[in-house]
Every structure is written in structure tokens, then in C-alpha cells.
Amino acid sequence: MLSLSLVIPTFNEAENIQPLLLQLSTLLDRALPDRYELIVVDDDSPDHTWALAAELQPKLPMLTVLRRQSDRGLATAVVYGWQQAQGEILGVIDGDLQHPPETLLALLETMQAGTDLAVASRNVTGGGVSDWSLWRRFGSRGAQLLGLLVLPEVLGRVSDPMSGYFMVRRSALDLNRLQPRGYKILLEVIAKGRIRHIQEVGFVFRERSQGESKVTSREYWDYLRHLLQLRLQRWESSRFLKFIGVGATGVIVDSLVLYLLHDSSQLGLPLLLSKFIAAEVAIFNNFMLNDAWTFRDLAKGSQKRYWSRRFLKFNLICSLGIFLNLLILSFLVEGLKLHYLPSNWVAIVIVTLWNFWLNRKLTWVG
């Protein structure tokens, strides 16, 4: 078996692919002579990236070029390449020269020392970005923050979970279980792999010299969908569905109390006061139903007498969730320029996940 299989997913990288492959082969010929392979997985690029890569095969016998004509997507291309690979260590590097090839040697050295996953990070010593605008930095950090809120036990294990430059031990993965979405394959690897030891290596993310960026608003949506997919897979689905059902009753209670307090001819309280009372009644309703149904097994026994303490925690977490909802909505609408209606739905889903996860960790512990 080979020591390393390095996959390079590409789409319209005609200007970059040959220089990249020549640099990689020069580095790896010295570090792993005859014990590595380069696998280009191209999504049928209109600029014929796949053909330009194939031109180098007579000169680079360790090079394999795979042209996918019925599928597209960076993360799925990586998994497809790994499934054809023969190496004990599986790696990935972008095909646009924004990942410096020389960092490969540091990643390889880390893997040879025995770690399960070596990640090239922009956020550790020696790492950084070149000339990113303030908005691009904010967008990257914002996406990472969303990920930490939704999937903290995965994204919290590395400083740069958005990295697409890493190596992983084949024995730590079940390649048939990987179902990535979008372009963030590292999330899938950490979430589903048997990853015990992780090491990070600093690298400076370069600006493109040729070609165009592939990052669009569609990629952000795929990233969010991937986060939610992983989150649901890691939770007890029946308990989460109960939590959602209880939340639906809370919406009805909130609306009914608000109507009675504000629109009632007998009461007619001010709108903000009515809303505050309605929200508290709904929160109390949700807590009691969750305590008696969703988390019944965790609230029984000696924990039962501490229901008032649980209620205070539940109230605080849900109140913070409202603030989080506003932050996410502002980020998606003002920052990413997305329509406010789907942005609001995304915010609601993320806050529901936040409320469930934090209450599961802090309110109903077991």
C-alpha cells in the first residue's frame, strides 16, 4: 500500500493545475519517492482542466486523473477520489494554488508522528490570510461562529474547521458513511471519523493569481444544510421531534395570550408588556411539557425536586436564543444580502437547535 494519496478536486482550474501538479510532485518525490499518488478529480470543467492534467501523466506516473460527468461538488469529489485511492494516509489540497504546496511536508511529518488528523490552519501560529477584506474576514468568522453554535463538539476540536487542506488516516474513516454537502469536507471527517488525535499546522492562505473564486451564496446555504444534517444525525431524533412539537404549542400559547392581553376590550394592555407576558407564559408552557414529556427520563428521580432551577436555566437559554435569532438574521440579510424570509427560517432553525442542545447539556443533564 502507498503511504499517501493526495486528492486535488478541480473545476475550471486550467491556469493552475499544471503548475500545482509539478510543484507537488517535486516535493513528494523527495519526501516519499514512489510511495505516493496524486489524484485529480475534475467535475467536467468547461475549460478542460482534466485534459491539461492528463497531459502530465506521461511525465508523472504517480498521477491519476478522474473526470466526473454526472456529479459535481468539491466535497463529494474528495470522497470519490479517496474511494479510488490506495494510500494509508488520505489528503486533500485545493487546485487553485491558494494552499501552499510546501505545507504538505509539515502535514506529512505530523501524520508520520502518529496523529489521526493533521489540519492546515489559518488560525494558529504561522497561519493567516494574505489580503482579505474586512468583510471577507467577517464572513469567514461568522460562518465558523454559526458552526460552533450548531455543532460545537465538532467545530470546537480545531481552530480552523473551514479548512480544506488536511490529511487523515484511512483507518480512522469509513468512506461509505461520508455524505458531505457543499465544500466543507473537514466537518464530515471530524463528525463521522474515529478521530482521537488532531494536530494543526499553520499556513498562510494565498490570494488567487489565476482563475475565479468558486465561493457563492449557494455554498453558504450548502454549509448551513450540512451543519444541520450533521446535528440531527448526532442527536436522538425522537427527542428532538418532541422538542419541536412542544415549541409549536408554545407559538400557539404565545399568540393566544398576546391576543387576550392586547386586543381584549377588557384588558387592552400595551403591546410590549403584552408580548413580554405572552413570551413568559409560552416559555413556562414549553418548559413544563418538555420536563414532563421530552426529557421525562432525565427529570425523574432525585432531579424532580429541582424543577425550579431547571426552569430558570430554560428561561435564560430561550431568552439568549431570541438575541441569537436577531444576530443571525442581521448577518444573513445585511451581511450576505439574502432575502429576509428564508434568512428568518434559517435563524429559527439554528436557534431551535441552540435551545435544544444547550438545554440538553445544562437544563436536563443525564
Side-chain angles (χ1 to χ4, degrees):
M1 180 178 283
L2 298 174
S3 294
L4 172 67
S5 295
L6 184 65
V7 170
I8 306 103
T10 59
F11 183 73
N12 284 347
E13 295 294 352
E15 299 95 337
N16 299 312
I17 189 60
Q18 289 192 345
L20 173 63
L21 291 173
L22 292 172
Q23 289 182 48
L24 292 174
S25 63
T26 298
L27 289 167
L28 292 174
D29 278 344
R30 297 171 185 166
L32 293 172
D34 301 321
R35 292 187 293 123
Y36 75 94
E37 63 179 340
L38 302 175
I39 303 175
V40 172
V41 181
D42 185 79
D43 286 350
D44 201 21
S45 297
D47 68 359
H48 289 193
T49 299
W50 48 273
L52 292 169
E55 287 179 4
L56 292 178
Q57 285 182 297
K59 184 177 181 180
L60 306 178
M62 74 297 295
L63 173 62
T64 299
V65 180
L66 304 174
R67 179 187 177 191
R68 298 198 306 172
Q69 295 180 283
S70 58
D71 202 357
R72 181 169 293 184
L74 186 148
T76 58
V78 174
V79 174
Y80 180 74
W82 285 348
Q83 290 172 338
Q84 321 305 315
Q86 303 177 52
E88 295 178 356
I89 297 171
L90 305 174
V92 58
I93 184 174
D94 281 356
D96 53 16
L97 287 172
Q98 292 185 289
H99 292 161
E102 55 270 18
T103 304
L104 269 181
L105 301 183
L107 291 173
L108 183 60
E109 182 179 348
T110 301
M111 292 299 297
Q112 290 172 334
T115 194
D116 296 315
L117 174 65
V119 180
S121 171
R122 296 163 292 185
N123 301 324
V124 297
T125 302
V129 294
S130 47
D131 297 314
W132 279 16
S133 65
L134 180 62
W135 161 240
R136 191 175 179 188
R137 292 171 189 266
F138 176 74
S140 177
R141 286 296 190 178
Q144 184 174 342
L145 176 60
L146 285 178
L148 284 170
L149 291 172
V150 176
L151 210 61
E153 71 272 31
V154 173
L155 279 81
R157 296 190 66 186
V158 290
S159 69
D160 192 359
M162 315 299 286
S163 177
Y165 191 10
F166 61 90
M167 293 182 184
V168 62
R169 206 163 296 283
R170 176 191 285 273
S171 58
L173 296 179
D174 179 352
L175 294 176
N176 293 323
R177 287 191 63 224
L178 299 183
Q179 296 177 310
R181 185 187 298 272
Y183 66 111
K184 296 305 177 188
I185 179 64
L186 182 57
L187 302 180
E188 190 81 3
V189 168
I190 298 176
K192 295 184 178 179
R194 297 177 294 276
I195 309 296
R196 294 169 298 172
H197 305 294
I198 302 176
Q199 293 290 327
E200 295 183 274
V201 173
F203 86 106
V204 177
F205 190 86
R206 297 172 177 171
E207 288 300 309
R208 270 182 172 271
S209 59
Q210 303 289 339
E212 297 180 354
S213 173
K214 310 296 190 305
V215 179
T216 65
S217 59
R218 168 68 182 274
E219 300 296 343
Y220 284 102
W221 283 117
D222 284 340
Y223 169 67
L224 287 171
R225 290 169 63 195
H226 192 196
L227 284 175
L228 299 178
Q229 174 186 320
L230 290 173
R231 177 71 279 166
L232 292 174
Q233 289 172 354
R234 295 173 70 86
W235 271 339
E236 307 158 83
S237 58
S238 60
R239 196 191 296 275
F240 182 63
L241 290 175
K242 289 179 181 179
F243 189 83
I244 292 176
V246 169
T249 70
V251 173
I252 296 172
V253 169
D254 181 283
S255 301
L256 180 60
V257 173
L258 179 61
Y259 171 77
L260 292 175
L261 294 179
H262 182 62
D263 287 343
S264 170
S265 57
Q266 289 80 17
L267 296 176
L269 296 181
L271 177 61
L272 292 182
L273 176 60
S274 300
K275 176 58 184 176
F276 175 78
I277 296 173
E280 281 300 317
V281 172
I283 287 175
F284 183 76
N285 167 84
N286 289 5
F287 169 78
M288 295 302 292
L289 289 177
N290 279 316
D291 204 56
W293 186 42
T294 309
F295 300 102
R296 180 181 180 181
D297 57 320
L298 302 177
K300 65 182 181 180
S302 61
Q303 294 296 321
K304 195 169 185 178
R305 64 178 180 269
Y306 296 119
W307 75 270
S308 59
R309 186 183 302 174
R310 292 198 298 277
F311 173 66
L312 290 175
K313 291 180 181 178
F314 183 82
N315 203 331
L316 177 60
I317 290 168
C318 291
S319 298
L320 290 174
I322 295 173
F323 178 68
L324 176 62
N325 187 300
L326 295 175
L327 284 180
I328 295 171
L329 185 61
S330 176
F331 170 71
L332 295 176
V333 174
E334 302 297 331
L336 299 184
K337 307 301 181 185
L338 302 176
H339 193 276
Y340 75 92
L341 283 179
S343 296
N344 187 49
W345 300 334
V346 169
I348 290 172
V349 170
I350 292 176
V351 169
T352 300
L353 294 168
W354 153 275
N355 286 341
F356 180 87
W357 177 78
L358 214 56
N359 277 301
R360 179 65 180 83
K361 292 292 184 182
L362 301 179
T363 307
W364 289 280
V365 181

